[in-house]
Amino acid sequence: MTVLSLAASGCVVVHGEREVVPAATRAEAAEALKDFTAAYNKADKANDRALDADYVTGALGAIDAARLNAGRENNPAGNPSYVPLEFTDTKFAIPKKAGWPRWFVADADANKGNDSRWLLVFTRSNVAEPWAVAYLTLLAPGDVPAFKTDKDGLAEPVTANSAELAVAPKDLSADYATYLKDGTGDVFAPGVHTSGWVEQRKKSAIKPGLVTQYIDEPLSKDDFAPLGLRTADGGALVFFATHHYEKQTAALGTSIPEPSDSVLALTTGEIKQSLTLEFVSNQAVLDPGKGAAGQGVEFLSRIQGLTAAQGE
């Protein structure tokens, strides 16, 4: 399933559809959230990826698939700790654009996530496909930004190479992967997921009998394309994904720390002296407007999931 790539023109024209229209009506958006929730709950209860495969894509799809596959490996009869996900107080940020693909953001309270607001980015590439969630972000209620809207209450999408933002959305994934190598540069504001994560890695890189190496890669094409909405302050809330690897290598005469059952369920090969963990991460950031007082991109949330592991 293909999500919206933020095209330089600001719109995507398919099958001659040039009229700028809302991506969905509010009733359609509400129905999409209902369908997603039902499918997600069925898959979560049964530990069966097939039950929600049509309703997730992109970064969330990769993370969700691995979670369910690991759950099924360890609990083939179903999820013993299953609690159905429920949403209340839902708001929708629906952009107006031409052609396909189309997308919108649902912002809701949930019965999980420590009183956080759940922001789900729904996408689809044609009218015959179901809406699928590409990005999931959990934010404290006070951290959800106010979106820029028109007289009809419709949101404004940002383009991939927008010159009106501190960093073009298309560059965020690669810039973040580069930043994590040493933490230098002023693209990103200091914080838990930027300077804090770099420092944490430095402390974890070398321990008695164990070395951990890190590789970070951009993930920004097709289903993993960035998506953004303009905020009322002139900036944008942008969702983007990245790809990460952590390789743990044990010294001779020592062994890799015992992985959890969830990690082992996703591991191929035999763990002898090393274990490489593969992750997909999805981020939500505030990208300030060009000329704003602070030009550092601020992280609001980052959700990372293990997607595979390799023992050697």
Side-chain angles (χ1 to χ4, degrees), residues 100-229:
W100 298 90
R102 293 176 181 165
W103 61 281
F104 66 86
V105 175
D107 166 16
D109 276 336
N111 61 330
K112 302 181 182 181
N114 298 323
D115 298 321
S116 296
R117 299 287 295 184
W118 286 46
L119 272 65
L120 304 101
V121 184
F122 284 82
T123 73
R124 70 173 176 177
S125 58
N126 63 66
V127 72
E129 295 179 349
W131 288 98
V133 179
Y135 292 102
L136 168 64
T137 294
L138 273 62
L139 297 179
D143 289 340
V144 180
F147 295 112
K148 179 181 179 181
T149 56
D150 63 13
K151 61 181 178 60
D152 298 317
L154 295 170
E156 180 181 324
V158 296
T159 59
N161 61 349
S162 175
E164 299 177 339
L165 300 175
V167 180
K170 68 180 179 63
D171 296 329
L172 283 169
S173 185
D175 285 351
Y176 190 43
T178 299
Y179 171 87
L180 289 173
K181 288 179 173 61
D182 54 21
T184 59
D186 56 4
V187 173
F188 300 100
V192 173
H193 304 297
T194 53
S195 56
W197 198 19
V198 171
E199 287 304 311
Q200 177 185 331
R201 284 178 165 194
K202 289 179 180 178
K203 293 177 181 178
S204 302
I206 300 179
K207 294 183 176 181
L210 185 70
V211 172
T212 303
Q213 299 167 287
Y214 301 94
I215 297 176
D216 307 287
E217 298 176 341
L219 191 58
S220 59
K221 296 185 182 301
D222 301 323
D223 293 357
F224 299 91
L227 302 169
L229 290 177

Side-chain angles (χ1 to χ4, degrees), residues 244-249 256 259 262-279 306-312:
H244 308 278
Y245 296 88
E246 296 181 10
K247 184 175 183 179
Q248 302 172 352
T249 303
I256 298 294
S262 294
V263 173
L264 290 174
L266 297 174
T267 300
T268 57
E270 184 180 355
I271 303 173
K272 297 178 180 178
Q273 291 300 122
S274 72
L275 175 64
T276 301
L277 306 173
E278 180 179 354
F279 301 90
L306 180 71
T307 55
Q310 174 69 48
E312 295 177 285

Side-chain angles (χ1 to χ4, degrees), residues 9-178:
S9 64
C11 67
V12 178
V13 179
V14 181
H15 303 309
E17 296 181 17
R18 299 178 180 276
E19 184 180 3
V20 177
V21 296
T25 66
R26 297 195 179 277
E28 289 169 341
E31 188 66 23
L33 179 62
K34 179 181 176 181
D35 291 344
F36 162 80
T37 307
Y40 180 90
N41 282 334
K42 288 178 182 178
D44 189 34
K45 183 177 182 179
N47 278 332
D48 188 347
R49 162 65 169 149
L51 296 178
D52 73 349
D54 290 338
Y55 297 90
V56 291
T57 188
L60 180 61
I63 294 170
D64 182 66
R67 177 185 69 86
L68 291 171
N69 288 339
R72 192 169 188 80
E73 180 72 19
N74 291 317
N75 294 286
N79 183 353
S81 58
Y82 167 72
V83 175
L85 176 64
E86 299 174 355
F87 292 114
T88 56
D89 187 31
T90 305
K91 305 172 185 177
F92 296 104
I94 301 174
K96 186 164 62 173
K97 64 179 297 292
W100 298 90
R102 293 176 181 165
W103 61 281
F104 66 86
V105 175
D107 166 16
D109 276 336
N111 61 330
K112 302 181 182 181
N114 298 323
D115 298 321
S116 296
R117 299 287 295 184
W118 286 46
L119 272 65
L120 304 101
V121 184
F122 284 82
T123 73
R124 70 173 176 177
S125 58
N126 63 66
V127 72
E129 295 179 349
W131 288 98
V133 179
Y135 292 102
L136 168 64
T137 294
L138 273 62
L139 297 179
D143 289 340
V144 180
F147 295 112
K148 179 181 179 181
T149 56
D150 63 13
K151 61 181 178 60
D152 298 317
L154 295 170
E156 180 181 324
V158 296
T159 59
N161 61 349
S162 175
E164 299 177 339
L165 300 175
V167 180
K170 68 180 179 63
D171 296 329
L172 283 169
S173 185
D175 285 351
Y176 190 43
T178 299

